[in-house]
Amino acid sequence: MDVYEAVASRHAVRAFLDRPVEPEVLSRVLTAAAHAPSGGNLQPWHIYVLSGDPLSRLKERIAARVAAGDRGDALEVPLYPDPMGTPYRERLSDFGKRRYGSLGIAQDDLAARARVRAGNWNCFGASTALFCYLDRNMPPPQWGDAGMYLQTVMLLLRSEGLDSCPQIAWAEYHRTIAEVIEPPQERVLYCGMSIGYADPEPPAPRMPRAPLSDTVTFLR
Ligand SMILES: Cc1cc2nc3c(=O)[nH]c(=O)nc-3n(C[C@H](O)[C@H](O)[C@H](O)COP(=O)(O)O)c2cc1C
C-alpha cells in the first residue's frame, strides 16, 4: 500500500468485527513500527498489547465501574488545555456535533453521549488493544516521539488490512488498567489503541481538516 493511501485510509474506527488479529501480523507491525524516529533514539514508548483473557478482564472491570456510576480516576495528565481557546474549542465542538449528530444524539443529551462514549472501554468491539506508557519524567519531546510511533503503528496496520482507534479515554480508568498490566510505578499511561478488522456496516462520519493555510505557513 502506498503511503498516501495508508494515510488517507486511516481514520478512527469505532466499530470492529468479532474477528481476532493474528499474533504474527501484530509482531510484524510492531517490529516495523520500531523504526519510528525519536529524539536521541531514546525510543521512550513502552507498549503493552492485550487480547484474550487479560483484555476481557480489563473490559469487565471498567464496565463494572462505569455501570456503578464511577466517573473514573483522577487524571495524571490533562487531556486538553484548560481553558481551551480558539480555534481548538470550535474544532472540538464540531467534532462532537459530527460524531454524536451522526448517531442522532442531540448536543445537550449528555446521558446518550456518555452511553456512546462508553464504547471506548469495550474497544468498540475490537479483540486487541495496545497501551502506550512513558516514564513519568519524560518531557514533551518524548511524548511527541510516542505520537510518531503510534501513527507509524496505525499506518502499518492499514497496510495489513487492519484498522485502529487511538484512545485517550483509557486514561480516565488508568488505575484499573494498571491493575491488569502491572506496569512499573514510574510509568504513566499516555493512551490506548483498539486494533482490529473494521465493521463496514455502521456509517461513520469522516472528520474534516482545517485548510492548509490555517495550520501551515510557507515562508518563501
Ligand atoms: C492521542 C489521541 C487520542 C484519541 N482519543 C480518542 C478516544 O479516547 N476516543 C475516541 O473515540 N477517539 C479518540 N481519538 C480519535 C480522534 O477523535 C480522531 O483521530 C479525530 O477526531 C480525527 O478523526 P480521524 O482520526 O477519523 O481522521 C484520539 C486520537 C488521538 C490522536
Side-chain angles (χ1 to χ4, degrees):
M1 179 184 274
D2 171 70
V3 182
Y4 278 92
E5 211 181 319
V7 170
S9 68
R10 186 223 56 82
H11 59 277
V13 166
R14 299 186 179 91
F16 291 91
L17 298 174
D18 181 19
R19 176 179 164 192
V21 180
E22 300 78 359
E24 56 277 16
V25 174
L26 279 178
S27 293
R28 191 160 57 232
V29 164
L30 297 174
T31 302
H35 289 286
S38 57
N41 201 23
L42 295 196
Q43 304 158 72
W45 45 83
H46 298 281
I47 305 299
Y48 299 84
V49 184
L50 272 64
S51 58
D53 185 54
L55 186 59
S56 299
R57 273 191 285 129
L58 177 59
K59 288 179 178 179
E60 280 162 19
R61 286 187 196 193
I62 296 187
R65 288 186 65 180
V66 172
D70 178 340
R71 305 284 297 275
D73 303 315
L75 292 174
E76 296 191 287
V77 180
L79 301 191
Y80 290 114
D82 183 16
M84 191 183 293
T86 298
Y88 313 110
R89 197 176 44 216
E90 291 77 11
R91 288 183 190 156
L92 182 63
S93 158
D94 178 69
F95 163 77
K97 275 186 206 144
R98 289 173 194 272
R99 167 135 164 71
Y100 298 104
S102 71
L103 299 168
I105 296 172
Q107 243 192 310
D108 57 356
D109 191 347
L110 300 184
R113 279 185 173 224
R115 273 196 301 278
V116 168
R117 213 168 159 261
N120 272 289
W121 301 296
N122 184 39
C123 298
F124 303 111
S127 60
T128 302
L130 167 161
F131 294 89
C132 177
Y133 283 76
L134 286 115
D135 289 358
R136 228 167 264 280
N137 64 352
M138 289 292 172
Q142 280 67 50
W143 287 71
D145 293 343
M148 291 186 217
Y149 170 84
L150 293 172
Q151 169 73 336
T152 306
V153 170
M154 291 190 281
L155 296 182
L156 288 164
L157 288 169
R158 284 306 303 126
S159 80
E160 298 280 358
L162 284 156
D163 276 287
S164 59
C165 184
Q167 295 166 275
I168 206 96
W170 288 105
E172 295 167 31
Y173 290 93
H174 63 89
R175 285 187 197 285
T176 302
I177 301 165
E179 279 166 24
V180 174
I181 291 180
E182 298 183 348
Q185 273 288 322
E186 71 273 13
R187 290 185 191 164
V188 60
L189 179 67
Y190 169 23
C191 70
M193 182 192 294
S194 295
I195 297 172
Y197 292 94
D199 182 346
E201 282 305 316
R206 290 297 171 99
M207 294 300 161
R209 296 299 193 265
L212 193 65
S213 58
D214 283 10
T215 57
V216 178
T217 304
F218 292 100
L219 302 178
R220 294 191 172 106

